[in-house]
């Protein structure tokens, strides 16, 4: 294997002189200021001159991905894992459109990802005689000039802010700053479009000393915040059975510390629930942590407990089908204080200018815990866990066995990535052991988990966090983004990938056409050979296993060596084609004689 | 390897009864009517009910691809190779966006591809309380309802027509027909959006008896066509040195037969040139076929010959940077009759209502060849070929050697696919031997060639055409779309893939940062093991070779067995990292001691 060669220093001095730097370097140094250390992407002729300036900024590492969609997925997971921002660089047209599904996913799931696109030259973009430059869609009427801004217009659907750099460098820098700030504050993607003829334009270096404003924007007066908060507090005091439902936006809007403080205050008084998308937000050992609320589709005892509350303090919950047991939550409007990332809805009043970020600090400061009534103490709640799944260890491996072993495996600070696959549909029940969950619960693009493993692992490394990435991948999904496995070798990633080999799209089989060819994949992938074939001939950087019984899997996952192994580990798990998770739609499958 | 199981018959009868069929079947049977035999795509929960109806139409084969971008690439190549239409099926949001780069490429390069998207339910799309269903981007304001039509709006940028099926089945069928007709006539993509709750709605089967109107629309009176034609003909008669420049739109708008007739008429009188994007349009053995015009970047003798003409009859030429030697054609407006797919520009007059499709039949009918003056007869034009490259057979293999061997290999009716890679930049000089060229010369999305090999091979098979697909792929490009190699096994594809292993993005190295990490890939792919690892353990369906000298390559490609082999053949070609094509930008590369 050819060694990874360190880049020689840039041919261009970092500082042009006279206190000037290029706008390219300006962008990259701004990224460093918000904590980004790894930059994902794919080179292309419209971004090469920009990429050259990565080497002006030694703190920034270029992570060359196999394709742009994978790069966007990796960036999404980097942002979700680090709770910081991430950035991805693509080239005009072909690259940016390839990444679009990943950016749309980040937009939909509130992941702060900056997409930097190297575009055609400004001179060409503005020319009254604009020509058909490669990667640009020709006009519907071929004799009319093409629109070089066509992709920038589309990007507005998937971004919170965009900056199209032009020859007004001062205004462009302001736009760049604004995009980064908006991404951070709104926890959603933004775009910077940099024309290839402007990469060397200079801006004053001292502009970098103007600190980016990453504070949340307060949309109303402190009197109004206090007013809303008081109403909620009064209601808390007057309620007999209060629950707290923690949603996904707590982490996405970086409110964990304040929320933890609130939990600490209320720990003995009220009951605590999380949602699928917020798994890992609590210490699950807390006596009053009841479980993950998944409505009618979830654990009945958990659902009945929260639904019996006379007040549910709901923080940053994300209302979408996948997070709510297909909209089966049974909580009346009069029962909820919905304190959210963009609004507060309480007592029949909708305030779009009062948010969780406004309310939490005031709530924590003002709440007199002695006046909070002690809620029902549940003693019949089984600890959320799959450990009670009783697997015959000599029988073929099932997805339930896999879940149980993940619970054995997960350690505090680990990151569990679950692909949108059959396994995901039951995983809301998993005990997290202090690990956090990174997936695309709502966006649900299959193929996400494999590049996400790269992004999450680099985030742990970059921010020197303890823990390890453990990924559950499906074979049908893995083939969507397979090449990115090579990056595990290139960047020395030490994650664990549990590859469910169930011979196709089992999740789709459950919905329709269990035996149909459209749910088949070419079923003979040699998973344990994959990393060797991708370059790690002598297993210097990876290790592969093939497992087909619960006994074998338990033997593997229960050793300390397995969790501590520095190499990337690929564990192929042979599970039956129709083995479905624990609570998914049941259907009759008559095995064909084949 | 598990055998490919034939699907059992549909659980639903093909005809519901009473002469009714489902709208899903209606769409698929319309596709059959325009000649489509293979349908590309990826299953997803919003298209499963639709896909179920493939089995109502036994003439249609489902080709399950590894991801949606690959499916779109394969469909593009299927359309380009068959000169018919192609279709790709994806699922709402995640699938359709993943395919977008491929559809945009088809739009830009005039490939007739239908994109069918299974969407959320119509009831949900129209609901005043539309909810966050998975695969849908949440509203910018999370408390406002999401827009289920957001992707349909974006698709309009990349399509000639769209149909959004709703509960008015009669109108929807009209829209569906219109989209298919528009795709065919305009040779560009269109979309059908089918909500998942409407797949079982019925329409009268007899509607299928209304023939689709695939004729070109004539935009003006026959008098006007005649008038323009007469002016051109008069100019032909008065010119002394006429050339014919054949462009890409001849094939794209299916005018080959009429154009061939024109060439036959003029064969002894004028000189013939093609462009990069139209390579293969002529019989290269024709004495007056001069070569491929590539402006300043091309062969000087060829360029001087066409530029010396007093009239260039230019048919269906596509003006874009990659097809014109970066806009270096030197032909004055007064020198050209630009007879194009959407307009005719001649003698200072622009007619957007008179096209090549209007003019060619009239021109062929009216031209009196005896009145055409005999053009300069060039005797100094070397036959276009790379055979004169003198390779030291014991020296390391170069891309020039590869080109020479392709010329040895190509046979009439073969399809040559060239990736957007270093090799492409010089391939305009290749002798085609009656093969046709399928690539993304203008759109230039790297990664296209590998799935295109699947699509083109299936097109040859479906339409029982002789010939074979020969693909030149780059390693940097191959990693973009690598998993689709498995489909070569699944669908028993017998193409030849020449994999240039030059350790990264050589084409980008030529432009910028020859030693930069952003131009590196993980350089130890085991190409000859790939197909085994992807499932063909015993080389029953594939064969792999590793070649590093011209001598070895010649020995391989000059045997009849090699061209006739039924298995898929992967030929890894070890070429130097900085070996560049024959006419590309030259630059100094000082090898680093590593």
């Amino acid at each position: 294997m050819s060694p990874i060669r360190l880049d020689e220093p840039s041919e261009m001095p970092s500082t042009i002189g006279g206190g000037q730097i290029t706008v390219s370097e300006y962008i990259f140094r701004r990224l460093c200021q918000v904590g980004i250390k790894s930059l994902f992407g794919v080179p292309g002729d419209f971004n090469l001159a920009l990429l050259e300036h990565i080497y002006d900024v030694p703190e920034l590492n270029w992570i060359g991905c196999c394709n742009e969609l994978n790069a966007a997925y990796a960036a999404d997971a980097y942002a979700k894992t680090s709770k910081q921002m991430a950035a991805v660089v693509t080239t005009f047209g072909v690259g940016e459109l390839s990444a679009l599904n990943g950016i749309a996913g980040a937009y939909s799931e509130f992941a702060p990802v900056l997409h930097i696109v190297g575009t055609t030259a400004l001179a060409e973009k503005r020319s009254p005689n604009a020509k058909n430059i490669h990667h640009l869609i020709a006009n519907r009427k071929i004799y009319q000039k093409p629109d070089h801004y066509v992709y920038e217009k589309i990007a507005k659907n998937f971004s919170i802010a965009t900056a199209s750099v032009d020859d007004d460098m001062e205004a462009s820098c302001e736009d760049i700053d604004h995009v980064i700030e908006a991404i951070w504050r709104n926890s959603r993607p933004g775009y910077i479009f940099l024309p290839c003829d402007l990469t060397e334009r200079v801006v004053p270096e001292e502009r970098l000393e103007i600190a980016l404003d990453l504070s949340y924007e307060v949309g109303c007066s402190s009197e109004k915040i206090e007013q809303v908060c008081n109403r909620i507090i009064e209601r808390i005091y007057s309620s007999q059975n209060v629950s707290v439902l923690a949603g996904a936006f707590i982490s996405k809007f970086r409110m964990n510390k304040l929320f933890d403080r609130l939990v600490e205050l209320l720990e003995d008084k009220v009951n605590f629930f999380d949602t699928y998308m917020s798994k890992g937000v609590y210490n699950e050992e807390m006596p009053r942590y009841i479980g993950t609320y998944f409505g009618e589709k979830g654990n009945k005892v958990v659902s009945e407990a929260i639904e019996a509350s006379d007040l549910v303090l709901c923080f940053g919950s994300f209302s979408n089908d996948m997070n709510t047991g297909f909209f089966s939550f049974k909580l009346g409007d009069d029962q909820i204080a919905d304190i959210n990332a963009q609004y507060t809805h309480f007592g029949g009043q909708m305030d779009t200018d009062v948010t969780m970020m406004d309310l939490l600090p005031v709530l924590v400061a003002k709440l007199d815990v002695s006046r909070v009534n002690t809620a029902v103490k549940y003693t019949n709640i089984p600890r959320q866990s799959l450990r009670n799944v009783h697997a015959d260890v000599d029988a073929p491996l099932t997805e339930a066995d896999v879940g149980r072993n993940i619970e054995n495996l997960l350690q505090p600070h680990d990151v569990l990535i679950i692909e949108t696959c059959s396994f995901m549909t039951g995983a809301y029940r998993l005990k997290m052991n202090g690990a956090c969950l990174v997936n695309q619960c709502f966006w649900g693009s299959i193929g996400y988990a494999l590049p996400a493993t790269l992004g999450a692992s680099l985030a742990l490394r970059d921010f020197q966090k303890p823990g390890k990435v453990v990924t559950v991948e499906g074979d049908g999904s893995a083939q969507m983004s397979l090449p990115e496995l090579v990056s595990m070798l290139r960047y020395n990633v030490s994650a664990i990938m549990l590859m469910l080999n169930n011979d196709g799209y089992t999740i789709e089989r459950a919905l329709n056409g269990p035996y149909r060819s459209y749910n088949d994949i070419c079923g003979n992938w040699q998973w344990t050979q994959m990393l060797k074939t991708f370059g790690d001939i002598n297993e210097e950087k990876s290790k592969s296993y093939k497992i087909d019984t619960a006994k074998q899997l338990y033997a593997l996952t229960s050793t300390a060596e397995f969790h501590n192994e520095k190499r990337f580990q690929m564990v192929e798990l042979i599970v039956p084609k129709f083995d479905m998770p624990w609570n998914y739609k049941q259907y009759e499958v008559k095995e064909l004689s084949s």
Side-chain angles (χ1 to χ4, degrees), chain A:
Chain A
M1 162 157 230
S2 59
I4 298 171
R5 191 173 43 67
L6 292 174
D7 291 283
E8 70 274 36
S10 175
E11 288 147 30
M12 310 266 293
S14 169
T15 301
I16 305 294
Q20 306 267 296
I21 58 172
T22 63
V23 65
S24 305
E25 181 178 344
Y26 181 82
I27 294 170
F28 292 142
R29 285 175 65 180
R30 279 302 199 197
L31 297 191
C32 287
Q33 288 181 346
V34 291
I36 292 175
K37 295 177 174 64
S38 290
L39 183 62
F40 301 89
V42 178
D45 53 351
F46 293 105
N47 69 25
L48 292 175
L50 165 67
L51 293 186
E52 194 60 29
H53 292 282
I54 294 173
Y55 309 105
D56 297 339
V57 186
E59 305 92 310
L60 213 52
N61 290 308
W62 173 248
I63 307 298
C65 292
C66 289
N67 63 45
E68 288 88 355
L69 179 54
N70 289 358
Y73 284 153
D76 176 292
Y78 185 88
K80 285 176 178 168
T81 303
S82 66
K83 315 273 190 259
Q84 309 286 320
M85 254 176 75
V88 57
V89 181
T90 68
T91 196
F92 189 61
V94 292
E96 59 184 304
L97 292 181
S98 289
L100 197 57
N101 171 24
I103 301 298
Y107 185 77
S108 205
E109 294 215 340
F110 290 76
V113 175
L114 170 63
H115 189 179
I116 306 171
V117 183
T119 78
T120 43
L122 184 69
E124 187 64 36
K125 289 167 86 166
R126 286 183 170 173
S127 167
N129 304 311
K131 297 192 195 75
N132 283 323
I133 305 291
H134 61 286
H135 304 343
L136 177 58
I137 49 167
N139 198 300
R140 180 173 288 234
K141 297 294 180 192
I142 197 104
Y143 48 85
Q144 288 174 357
K145 71 176 182 130
D147 175 10
H148 284 254
Y149 291 93
V150 57
Y151 313 128
E152 301 189 23
K153 290 170 191 164
I154 289 169
K156 289 190 192 296
N157 290 287
F158 305 102
S159 55
I160 201 74
T162 61
S164 186
V165 174
D166 63 20
D167 47 12
D168 181 343
M169 277 298 135
E170 175 59 25
S172 292
C173 285
E174 263 181 44
D175 288 348
I176 290 165
D177 290 357
H178 169 69
V179 166
I180 296 170
E181 290 168 346
I183 293 169
W184 185 278
R185 286 170 172 168
N186 295 282
S187 197
R188 287 182 122 167
Y191 276 79
I192 296 173
F193 296 96
L194 180 62
C196 61
D197 59 342
L198 299 183
T199 58
E200 311 309 311
R201 295 290 288 270
V202 295
V203 301
E205 185 174 15
E206 64 185 9
R207 221 192 171 289
L208 288 165
E209 290 163 26
I210 308 168
L212 293 172
D213 181 3
L214 304 179
S215 58
Y216 297 111
E217 284 162 299
V218 178
C220 68
S221 66
S222 55
E223 287 74 26
K224 175 153 188 196
I225 295 168
E226 199 145 327
Q227 202 179 42
V228 174
C229 194
N230 286 342
R231 286 173 51 231
I232 294 172
I233 287 177
E234 286 310 314
R235 175 72 183 274
I236 294 173
Y237 296 157
S238 67
S239 299
Q240 303 305 314
N241 188 19
V242 174
S243 292
V244 170
L245 179 61
F249 294 131
I250 293 171
S251 286
K252 289 179 188 295
F253 286 82
R254 309 179 188 83
M255 300 305 289
N256 297 69
K257 273 190 188 165
L258 266 172
F259 180 74
D260 287 352
R261 180 79 193 101
L262 183 75
V263 172
E264 209 178 296
L265 286 172
L266 293 170
E267 200 171 348
D268 302 325
K269 290 291 187 75
V270 309
N271 295 313
F272 297 92
F273 301 82
D274 53 17
T275 62
Y276 202 154
M277 289 182 79
S278 63
K279 280 189 81 72
V281 74
Y282 296 111
N283 170 8
E284 293 162 324
E285 305 303 328
M286 214 167 43
R288 279 182 174 273
Y289 169 66
I290 309 296
T292 302
Y293 183 37
F294 202 51
E296 268 181 12
K297 309 288 178 188
N299 183 303
K300 205 178 159 191
V301 183
V302 172
S303 294
E304 285 175 357
I306 189 167
E307 288 161 8
S309 314
D310 56 354
L311 176 64
V312 178
L313 293 169
C314 181
F315 293 94
S317 94
F318 190 173
S319 178
N320 64 63
D321 57 355
M322 305 306 283
N323 195 36
T324 58
F326 301 91
F327 301 116
S328 67
F329 282 12
K330 283 189 186 142
L331 298 172
D333 270 2
D334 58 337
Q335 215 175 348
I336 302 183
D338 183 4
I339 301 158
N340 220 305
Q342 295 179 338
Y343 68 91
T344 297
H345 188 203
F346 172 61
Q349 190 175 320
M350 177 71 168
D351 293 299
T352 57
D353 52 354
V354 183
T355 72
M356 173 175 71
M357 286 74 86
D358 301 322
L359 281 179
L360 252 181
V362 185
L363 191 60
V364 165
K366 299 193 73 165
L367 191 70
D368 177 357
V369 182
S370 69
R371 294 181 60 194
V372 178
N373 294 308
T374 301
V376 177
K377 177 81 185 160
Y378 291 97
T379 53
N380 64 334
I381 308 282
R383 286 288 82 184
Q384 182 162 271
S385 168
L386 295 168
R387 285 177 204 250
N388 57 346
V389 171
H390 184 73
D392 176 345
V393 291
D394 289 325
L397 193 66
T398 66
E399 291 198 4
D401 297 325
V402 176
R404 189 175 58 154
N405 278 282
I406 286 171
E407 291 183 346
N408 282 332
L409 184 60
L410 280 183
Q411 296 182 9
H413 310 295
D414 282 354
V415 175
L416 175 63
I417 297 181
I418 301 181
E419 182 60 271
T420 303
C421 67
S422 50
F423 185 85
M424 191 195 80
T425 60
Y428 76 91
R429 279 169 65 182
L430 283 175
K431 188 164 181 290
M432 297 297 293
N433 299 341
C436 79
L437 177 64
V438 167
N439 67 355
Q440 273 194 340
C441 187
F442 172 46
W443 185 244
S445 184
I446 68 171
Y448 170 80
L450 199 152
T453 304
L454 173 69
S457 299
L458 292 173
L460 291 182
R461 186 193 299 169
D462 282 357
F463 294 93
Q464 294 172 305
K465 294 190 177 184
K468 183 157 205 156
V469 175
V470 176
T471 299
V472 182
E473 181 59 282
D475 57 351
S477 303
Q479 65 170 12
M480 307 285 282
S481 49
L482 184 73
E484 217 55 54
L485 270 182
V486 83
S487 297
M488 312 299 176
L489 307 176
R490 183 170 180 192
Y491 299 109
N492 297 301
V493 167
S494 74
I496 292 168
M497 180 160 291
L498 305 171
M499 180 66 66
L500 297 169
N501 182 343
N502 53 15
D503 203 11
Y505 301 109
T506 297
I507 177 74
E508 315 284 17
R509 294 188 203 279
L511 297 170
N512 217 26
Y515 297 107
R516 287 300 195 193
S517 60
Y518 59 72
N519 283 330
D520 293 340
I521 63 171
C522 201
N524 201 29
W525 295 95
Q526 302 297 301
W527 290 108
T528 57
Q529 292 303 305
M530 206 62 78
L531 286 149
K532 289 183 185 174
T533 303
F534 282 22
D536 188 27
I537 307 172
N538 300 317
E539 294 208 322
E540 287 163 18
K541 301 194 164 194
S542 68
K543 205 172 169 188
S544 298
Y545 316 80
K546 187 168 189 165
I547 299 284
D548 48 21
T549 68
K551 193 175 178 178
Q552 289 170 16
L553 184 58
Y554 183 76
L556 180 70
T557 57
S558 57
T559 64
E561 292 75 35
F562 183 67
H563 193 280
N564 296 338
E565 172 65 51
K566 293 290 175 221
R567 288 175 291 179
F568 182 84
Q569 294 180 98
M570 164 74 80
V571 186
E572 179 181 6
L573 302 169
I574 309 294
V575 284
K577 192 167 176 171
F578 296 104
D579 175 47
M580 287 297 301
W582 324 291
N583 70 332
Y584 208 71
K585 180 179 170 185
Q586 294 302 312
Y587 62 99
E588 286 290 311
V589 173
K590 298 175 290 287
E591 262 305 331
L592 287 178
S593 60
S594 56

